[in-house]
Amino acid sequence: MVTEETLSLSPRSWLQTLARGERKRLLGSALCGVLAGSQTVVIVVGLAWLIDQLVIHDQSPMSLLPIFSLLVGCVLLRAAFQWGHETLSLEASLRIRQRARAQLLDKLSALGPVWLTSQHSGSLASQVVEHIDTLEGYFARFYPQLRITFCLPLLILAVAGWLDYLVALFLLLSAPLIPLFMALVGMGAERLNRDQFVAVSRLSAHFIDRVRGMTTLQLFGRTFAAQQDVWYATDEYRRLSMRTLRLAFLSSAVLEFFSSVAIAVVAMYVGFGLLGYIEYGPSSSLTLFSGLAVLLLAPEFFQPLRTLSQHYHDRAAALGAAESVVNILNQPSLVSGHRHLPPLSERSAIELTAACVAYPSRGQVIGPITLTIQKGEVVAISGISGSGKSTLLALLADFIAPSAGEYWRQVNSHYAWLDQQPCLLHGSLIDNLRLAAPDASREEMVAALQRAGFGALLTQLPEGLDTLIGERGVGLSGGQAQRLAIARVYLSNAPLVLLDEPTASLDQETEQFVMTALLELAQEGRTLVIATHHPAVIAVAHRHFAFEKGELVEVVS
Amino acid sequence: MMGTYREFRPWLLLLVRRRRRFLLGALLVWITLMAGLALLGLSGWFITASALTGIALSLGLPARLDVYVPGGGIRFFALARTVARYVERLYNHNTVLTLLADLRYRVFGYLTHFDDARLHGERASDWLSRLTADIDTLDNFYLRLLVPPLVALLGVVAVSLFVAIWLPGVAVLMALTLGVLWLVATLLAAVWGFSQSYQQVVDQQLLRRLVVDQVQASAELMSYQTAEWHRTLIASQERQAFSNSRRLGRKTALLNCVVSVVSGVMVVAVVWLASLVFSQQLVAGPILVMAALIALGANEAFITLPASFIKLGASHAAVQRLNELADVPTASKASATLPEGRGLDIQANQLSLRYAHTLGPALSKVEFYLPAGKRAVITGNSGAGKSSLASLLMGRLKATQGEAMVGGVPSLQLSTESRAHHFAMLTQQVDLFDASIAENLRIANPTASDVMLWEVLRAVAMDSWVEQLPKGLATAVGEKGHQLSGGQGRRLALARLMLGNPQVVILDEPFAGVDSATAKHIAASLDKWLINRTAIFFLHQVSSLKLLPGIEYHWHLDAGKLSQCPLK
């Protein structure tokens, strides 16, 4: 259950909470990264020593064979640590994404159908699928690399200090600059990435906007102009973004510059020192071994930071995605979490006492309503659109919790729902019927479909119950879909059926059929609550309530 | 492999058009790489030479070392590397963005040929949701899959040739090892990860559909208490996707390890081989060090290759989808035109329409005749086939049987220009663009003056509302016109229609979301504007029938069948 504390989530804190769940793996990954880096240190120092022995001390290669094989061992060990580094962070990122997705899906359930219908389902799906996947780079690459960047340069500094303290001092002097540059690069890269992110999404939106309006463009014969417009918009964006990039890339050039200069400075210092041109400090004790080793260590000192800056866009992308996800997580939940108390009377199906419904943004919409519906009753609720009949139905269906008052219903009794646009799942007819009864047998399904007047269609379907319907399969008309929805009601055996405008936008034949089906359901002893403005539906109801000026009144015929 | 190449071919040809940019960009990356290797190699050479000279001097032997040339070289390469990197990033980014414009232009061009069935068909949301991502994938192709392998290959050649001057044996070793490594990091990675990276895209799509289901069926899932059941479906799909991703990730990690091991062992081998040559005094110490350090730095060109190439399957999936969009059934050479300046009649001859993958027809044997300059109304519920009929009449869809004729010409055979000129339609779902009110209006008539804009706004009773807006006509309507109410959006679209001078007008729900006083005003404006034009109103509610002026025909559409209704 989502608690109130989630309301104050920020993108950063959400990412941190997610990381905490996989702390061990992420730390392990960083540790492996540091160990792999330390193997690199061993390898370059070893190479320097080997070369020193060969060139200066004229050792024969054969006598150095053990060292050669030791180096090969180090290379293999480094690869092993690299493997650990990559697979651990991969696993962490997979698990984190799984958890984040589950959290988001839980939240969507808690927000309930009332909130969901006000949203674009495609963009919600992007949040759950693409945006959560965007977190991959952050946890798999950036997060461990940040830890590595804190440790590995220190290790390299220590080794360099042992070899030649002047070089270490030079690196150390640049060390305070590193946080500075990191901030600089960070700010530069972050601003760049943020700006890019915004600009790119705006540009994509422009493109999609024109694609969506293709019908209109075709109707007015403006497709070619729009096509050129698309090119100019992208090109204009290119021109603008090049202007900012000129500056933004400077920060990464600074890092590049630093690592190149480090090599150059160390090379000059070591070279002159070995020639005896430098009189002070440790330079008199410089050898080819220590000189070569510090030369090779200097770029390694900056390498973690360079890698980090390459992964900076992962962070920006993750923050951008987190922001939109957190926006959803911070929405107040509408669906009530607690269970219902059974009604006071044995014979009633539903009891409402002074129940009100309020939306966070709009305040109280309906109520207080006091209403008792007996088992087996057919109740019609009418009213002009916007009067609150759909809200009342949503309240009865638990899509929204009462803001005040009480709602009693049989504990755990499931109920059937039917509205004017029955939902078709991407899948087979069976999947669509399982929606109402996951355990139903094929025979039961066929029987329910036949009762719902879908029998003739079923024989036409190429693969019977296994035929795919919807976007990827056979398209159903509105009337056919409504029959399928009625088959769901039959299949579910739910004692209570809630119907929201079930006959709206149907062809005459299906409308007639739905009417008969409603009567049949009532004869089975099911309780029906129907929001409708259809006179024929109202006529068959036992009781009729109407919303008049915000009040629910019973209409006595 | 050939099949894959064929899918990529049209897009690679698009790149070829920018080949100078492409080659120059690759050259800059190569220069960066070479400057880095030169910096490292020269530094190693210089240090070793200094060490040897220093030892000779300390022993009192006559020795000299020119420190200025290598010193200058080191400084030059350090600077060259920085500058080249900066210029390269800037230049290649520019290329990528230029390509993006090219790619979007081309894809948009494909879409302009779509008919209504493809634009609004059931599968439309599928391709639309992936469109920009697919184009971006292709855009990244240049920087991730074309430049790096080329640079790596050129780097191998250059490095081997350079080392071969002193150490031909070592050079052969380097060329062979790095050559094989190049094949492993590109071709092998691509083949090895192909099906899994392809599957990754498929998995994402499947997961997306399940989530859309959960959102759209939330009411049913909650009421039937089957939300848990559906979540297990999502969970099992996700598990499957993740185990695929895990396999792919591990393959990438393994290839990265291979690159690391091969390049590391190669460095050791280079030192070993060179030391053998050195011990025979066939090569100088500084050269040995230089070769070793160049070998050490060479792996930089290979690091990013496996991770990029292992995802070739994903790029292939993107390209496949984009190619599907390009697959437009060659539009029949529609070139017929309509006569200017005279009324046009509309005739539906036994029109039947059946969409692919549906049971039963959307329209069956619709037959009517509307004389030029007359007005008709066709009522029907949503889903009865009104939009399909409108599309057929406007020549935006091909009937399964029968023909729609306008002015005696089958409307399907009319050229697009002619249709745009003579026909106008207010669609059920109006498209407003994320631009100003004025720009949205001028889509109908780019040369319309402000006076004309105000005039049509007055016709739909929106003039006073626009007048009181701080920015007036320049007010942005927002994405999909979200800054306007639904009714305002429809009225703006209607005003836009009135800027043109069509002979045939189809209005789908012109009064939806409009209060009755405004509806009366609009009806009066329409009455005036529709004089001498042939018009069909499509209406959902019969109640707005009495609003319509000058109606002489009334048909009703139910489940794709048209029937005549008496005029009240």
Side-chain angles (χ1 to χ4, degrees):
Chain A
M1 194 56 228
V2 186
T3 51
E4 289 304 305
E5 72 180 282
T6 54
L7 291 178
S8 53
L9 272 179
S10 76
R12 273 161 213 264
S13 68
W14 186 59
L15 289 179
Q16 269 163 14
T17 319
L18 287 175
R20 223 169 290 139
E22 284 295 321
R23 220 183 64 222
K24 280 189 189 149
R25 280 198 180 81
L26 289 170
L27 266 180
S29 166
L31 186 68
C32 281
V34 171
L35 287 173
S38 62
Q39 286 309 306
T40 306
V41 172
V42 173
I43 290 168
V44 296
V45 172
L47 270 179
W49 187 83
L50 208 56
I51 287 170
D52 182 59
Q53 291 297 311
L54 286 165
V55 175
I56 305 295
H57 302 282
D58 283 330
Q59 296 273 353
S60 83
M62 288 318 257
S63 68
L64 293 170
L65 199 59
I67 308 297
F68 274 105
S69 35
L70 204 71
L71 280 184
V72 172
C74 285
V75 166
L76 292 174
L77 202 60
R78 179 176 66 177
F81 284 132
Q82 257 178 347
W83 167 263
H85 165 63
E86 284 191 44
T87 50
L88 277 174
S89 61
L90 170 76
E91 192 60 37
S93 125
L94 286 173
R95 283 164 191 256
I96 285 173
R97 277 186 282 157
Q98 200 164 16
R99 221 166 290 158
R101 191 167 286 145
Q103 190 187 357
L104 187 53
L105 287 172
D106 283 345
K107 183 69 195 186
L108 292 186
S109 304
L111 285 166
V114 172
W115 187 84
L116 291 174
T117 45
S118 70
Q119 303 290 312
H120 185 237
S121 58
S123 75
L124 281 178
S126 308
Q127 308 264 348
V128 177
V129 181
E130 280 91 357
H131 284 188
I132 296 287
D133 279 345
T134 310
L135 302 180
E136 187 210 349
Y138 179 73
F139 290 111
R141 293 186 287 269
F142 182 83
Y143 194 89
Q145 188 60 37
L146 187 66
R147 268 90 200 138
I148 294 173
T149 309
F150 281 124
C151 301
L152 199 52
L154 286 178
L155 186 83
I156 293 170
L157 198 68
V159 176
W162 168 65
L163 291 163
D164 186 298
Y165 69 81
L166 214 57
V167 171
L169 203 65
F170 166 70
L171 292 179
L172 190 67
L173 279 180
S174 69
L177 292 177
I178 287 183
L180 188 76
F181 276 117
M182 242 168 101
L184 204 77
V185 168
M187 279 182 321
E190 193 168 354
R191 209 202 53 224
L192 164 75
N193 275 304
R194 206 177 42 229
D195 291 356
Q196 290 285 88
F197 204 73
V198 172
V200 166
S201 43
R202 197 173 298 153
L203 197 65
S204 300
H206 171 271
F207 179 64
I208 290 296
D209 187 51
R210 299 306 188 268
V211 172
R212 277 212 191 92
M214 190 61 81
T215 309
T216 298
L217 294 172
Q218 287 175 342
L219 280 168
F220 288 113
R222 302 278 293 162
T223 49
F224 186 65
Q227 190 182 4
Q228 283 183 319
D229 190 35
V230 161
W231 196 87
Y232 283 120
T234 314
D235 201 59
E236 176 65 14
Y237 157 72
R238 176 189 65 82
R239 243 172 27 78
L240 283 177
S241 95
M242 287 318 290
R243 208 179 293 160
T244 46
L245 284 177
R246 241 167 260 161
L247 214 92
F249 280 154
L250 265 185
S251 60
S252 64
V254 163
L255 255 180
E256 196 74 35
F257 177 71
F258 238 68
S259 115
S260 302
V261 162
I263 299 179
V265 167
V266 171
M268 301 305 279
Y269 160 76
V270 170
F272 285 119
L274 288 170
L275 283 170
Y277 292 179
I278 304 173
E279 301 286 316
Y280 52 86
S283 47
S284 53
S285 61
L286 263 175
T287 60
L288 181 59
F289 160 58
S290 60
L292 209 51
V294 289
L295 175 77
L296 292 177
L297 285 178
E300 291 301 327
F301 184 71
F302 296 98
Q303 190 54 46
L305 195 56
R306 288 171 64 197
T307 311
L308 187 70
S309 78
Q310 277 167 16
H311 296 327
Y312 231 93
H313 67 95
D314 288 327
R315 179 175 178 273
L319 276 176
E323 197 171 318
S324 64
V325 171
V326 162
N327 268 343
I328 295 182
L329 294 179
N330 282 341
Q331 296 282 336
S333 301
L334 294 176
V335 173
S336 69
H338 60 86
R339 287 161 173 270
H340 288 290
L341 299 167
L344 303 172
S345 156
E346 270 288 299
R347 285 172 43 224
S348 37
I350 283 172
E351 288 176 14
L352 288 178
T353 33
C356 302
V357 174
Y359 288 119
S361 51
R362 284 162 46 198
Q364 183 162 319
V365 231
I366 55 165
I369 293 173
T370 302
L371 173 73
T372 303
I373 296 174
Q374 307 281 313
K375 285 179 183 169
E377 266 185 334
V378 178
V379 176
I381 298 166
S382 65
I384 54 163
S385 66
S387 61
K389 54 184 195 295
S390 292
T391 307
L392 176 60
L393 219 57
L395 170 69
L396 295 182
D398 276 340
F399 297 166
I400 186 160
S403 56
E406 291 295 337
Y407 173 24
W408 283 289
R409 202 180 76 215
Q410 291 297 340
V411 183
N412 276 341
S413 72
H414 64 303
Y415 53 95
W417 174 267
L418 192 76
D419 58 26
Q420 52 176 309
Q421 277 185 325
C423 171
L424 298 183
L425 301 183
H426 293 87
S428 67
L429 216 47
I430 290 190
D431 295 326
N432 273 281
L433 290 167
R434 282 204 181 127
L435 175 62
D439 305 321
S441 69
R442 291 178 77 96
E443 290 71 34
E444 285 169 330
M445 288 180 183
V446 172
L449 284 172
Q450 267 161 355
R451 263 188 86 185
F454 206 93
L457 282 167
L458 192 60
T459 55
Q460 282 183 45
L461 291 173
E463 286 160 72
L465 282 178
D466 296 306
T467 311
L468 295 177
I469 56 170
E471 282 198 23
R472 284 281 132 182
V474 175
L476 299 185
S477 72
Q480 289 161 349
Q482 194 65 301
R483 282 165 199 263
L484 178 58
I486 288 172
R488 281 183 193 148
V489 178
Y490 285 134
L491 202 58
S492 76
N493 283 322
L496 172 64
V497 187
L498 302 174
L499 305 106
D500 192 3
E501 306 267 13
T503 55
S505 67
L506 289 179
D507 57 278
Q508 278 157 11
E509 196 195 329
T510 319
E511 191 184 287
Q512 277 305 313
F513 185 83
V514 172
M515 292 289 301
T516 336
L518 292 183
L519 286 173
E520 231 178 278
L521 287 169
Q523 275 159 10
E524 283 178 4
R526 304 204 203 196
T527 315
L528 268 61
V529 183
I530 314 166
T532 185
H533 61 260
H534 201 292
V537 178
I538 295 172
V540 302
H542 303 147
R543 287 162 83 195
H544 172 207
F545 292 88
F547 273 101
E548 280 169 16
K549 294 178 190 132
E551 300 263 331
L552 188 69
V553 289
E554 179 150 15
V555 184
V556 186
S557 49
Chain B
M1 215 63 200
M2 275 322 282
T4 311
Y5 171 71
R6 220 169 293 131
E7 301 258 17
F8 277 108
R9 198 168 167 270
W11 306 98
L12 291 174
L13 286 179
L14 193 71
L15 288 179
V16 168
R17 278 181 25 209
R18 305 267 180 201
R19 61 183 166 277
R20 276 188 37 208
R21 285 206 72 88
F22 170 65
L23 289 175
L24 194 57
L27 185 71
L28 283 167
V29 181
W30 184 77
I31 289 175
T32 314
L33 178 71
M34 287 299 118
L37 288 178
L39 174 64
L40 209 58
L42 186 59
S43 300
W45 180 90
F46 177 61
I47 286 180
T48 318
S50 304
L52 291 171
T53 315
I55 289 167
L57 285 174
S58 66
L59 294 176
L61 299 171
R64 264 198 78 243
L65 181 67
D66 173 15
V67 295
Y68 296 104
V69 174
I74 287 171
R75 274 184 303 235
F76 168 75
F77 288 127
L79 206 66
R81 182 180 157 86
T82 312
V83 173
R85 169 73 75 206
Y86 176 70
V87 175
E88 171 261 302
R89 287 198 68 183
L90 215 54
Y91 189 84
N92 281 323
H93 218 85
N94 201 349
T95 308
V96 165
L97 291 176
T98 311
L99 277 176
L100 186 65
D102 290 353
L103 287 168
R104 287 200 171 147
Y105 181 81
R106 171 178 283 198
V107 172
F108 197 88
Y110 293 154
L111 300 178
T112 56
H113 299 300
F114 272 29
D115 64 7
D116 273 353
R118 283 189 85 178
L119 277 177
H120 302 288
E122 299 237 284
R123 275 147 229 233
S125 69
D126 246 14
W127 60 259
L128 194 62
S129 70
R130 287 217 52 100
L131 190 59
T132 44
D134 284 344
I135 295 177
D136 286 348
T137 307
L138 209 55
D139 193 31
N140 286 330
F141 197 79
Y142 161 77
L143 215 51
R144 285 204 359 240
L145 290 162
L146 290 181
V147 170
L150 181 67
V151 168
L153 206 59
L154 286 178
V156 173
V157 173
V159 163
S160 309
L161 286 177
F162 182 71
V163 173
I165 300 175
W166 301 278
L167 296 160
V170 172
V172 169
L173 171 79
M174 282 172 74
L176 283 179
T177 322
L178 291 178
V180 171
L181 192 62
W182 186 85
L183 284 177
V184 169
T186 56
L187 287 182
L188 186 76
V191 173
W192 203 31
F194 197 86
S195 65
Q196 264 133 19
S197 60
Y198 188 88
Q199 184 62 34
Q200 220 171 16
V201 182
V202 176
D203 282 340
Q204 218 180 33
Q205 197 81 329
L206 290 174
L207 195 59
R208 193 189 161 83
R209 280 197 207 121
L210 281 171
V211 174
V212 168
D213 280 350
Q214 196 202 321
V215 171
Q216 289 181 343
S218 59
E220 281 88 347
L221 288 169
M222 228 183 123
S223 56
Y224 292 118
Q225 303 196 334
T226 45
E228 283 303 314
W229 162 77
H230 197 256
R231 279 295 289 280
T232 57
L233 292 186
I234 296 185
S236 86
Q237 172 57 38
E238 198 185 22
R239 251 197 317 279
Q240 196 186 323
F242 275 168
S243 77
N244 181 62
S245 292
R246 189 176 290 120
R247 268 199 300 273
L248 187 68
R250 291 188 168 201
K251 282 183 176 179
T252 316
L254 193 63
L255 281 173
N256 284 338
C257 288
V258 168
V259 169
S260 160
V261 166
V262 170
S263 53
V265 169
M266 185 192 76
V267 173
V268 178
V270 163
V271 175
W272 170 256
L273 261 186
S275 68
L276 289 181
V277 181
F278 176 77
S279 63
Q280 292 166 334
Q281 303 203 316
L282 292 172
V283 71
I287 299 293
L288 181 155
V289 176
M290 184 168 72
L293 294 202
I294 286 178
L296 192 66
N299 84 323
E300 193 187 302
F302 292 86
I303 292 174
T304 60
L305 289 181
S308 303
F309 271 86
I310 210 155
K311 293 198 188 111
L312 187 71
S315 309
H316 184 236
V319 164
Q320 259 183 342
R321 268 194 304 271
L322 290 177
N323 282 345
E324 264 170 44
L325 298 183
D327 171 35
V328 178
T330 38
S332 50
K333 291 272 183 294
S335 55
T337 50
L338 285 168
E340 289 290 332
R342 82 173 167 80
L344 301 168
D345 56 352
I346 302 177
Q347 184 166 14
N349 284 337
Q350 298 282 313
L351 277 179
S352 293
L353 180 69
R354 190 191 191 116
Y355 289 107
H357 315 286
T358 54
L359 296 171
L363 291 173
S364 44
K365 299 193 173 167
V366 170
E367 172 100 23
F368 70 85
Y369 177 73
L370 182 63
K374 301 289 183 191
R375 300 174 197 174
V377 64
I378 297 179
T379 50
N381 275 324
S382 69
K386 286 177 297 179
S387 303
S388 303
L389 182 56
S391 293
L392 287 179
L393 297 177
M394 302 260 92
R396 301 175 52 74
L397 262 184
K398 192 178 180 330
T400 322
Q401 263 168 17
E403 227 170 8
M405 315 270 280
V406 176
V409 183
S411 50
L412 203 65
Q413 289 177 15
L414 291 170
S415 69
T416 40
E417 294 78 21
S418 179
R419 274 190 275 145
H421 182 68
H422 291 281
F423 299 170
M425 174 156 76
L426 181 71
T427 46
Q428 196 173 41
Q429 182 144 28
V430 300
D431 301 314
L432 292 178
F433 297 96
D434 191 2
S436 69
I437 291 178
E439 284 170 285
N440 267 294
L441 288 173
R442 286 206 174 100
I443 287 169
N445 182 358
T447 55
S449 66
D450 278 7
V451 179
M452 291 162 81
L453 301 190
W454 285 112
E455 198 178 312
V456 293
L457 284 174
R458 198 168 309 123
V460 296
M462 272 184 84
D463 52 335
S464 49
W465 182 74
V466 176
E467 245 162 32
Q468 54 86 38
L469 292 171
K471 287 188 178 173
L473 284 171
T475 309
V477 303
E479 196 188 334
K480 289 191 244 167
H482 274 324
Q483 299 303 317
L484 308 179
S485 75
Q488 283 172 328
R490 289 200 81 72
R491 278 146 74 193
L492 197 59
L494 192 60
R496 178 163 69 187
L497 227 55
M498 291 183 179
L499 274 178
N501 185 25
Q503 296 303 307
V504 176
V505 182
I506 288 183
L507 300 166
D508 201 342
E509 299 287 348
F511 306 116
V514 175
D515 65 74
S516 57
T518 318
K520 262 185 207 145
H521 178 99
I522 296 175
S525 316
L526 274 176
D527 190 24
K528 221 163 77 191
W529 184 67
L530 285 175
I531 290 170
N532 291 331
R533 303 183 206 271
T534 317
I536 301 178
F537 291 86
F538 282 95
L539 291 181
H540 175 78
Q541 282 174 316
V542 191
S543 58
S544 42
L545 256 180
K546 56 182 178 294
L547 269 173
L548 300 173
I551 296 288
E552 293 180 48
Y553 300 84
H554 178 194
W555 292 292
H556 182 73
L557 201 54
D558 184 54
K561 293 187 183 75
L562 194 75
S563 56
Q564 186 114 31
C565 296
L567 276 170
K568 280 171 201 159

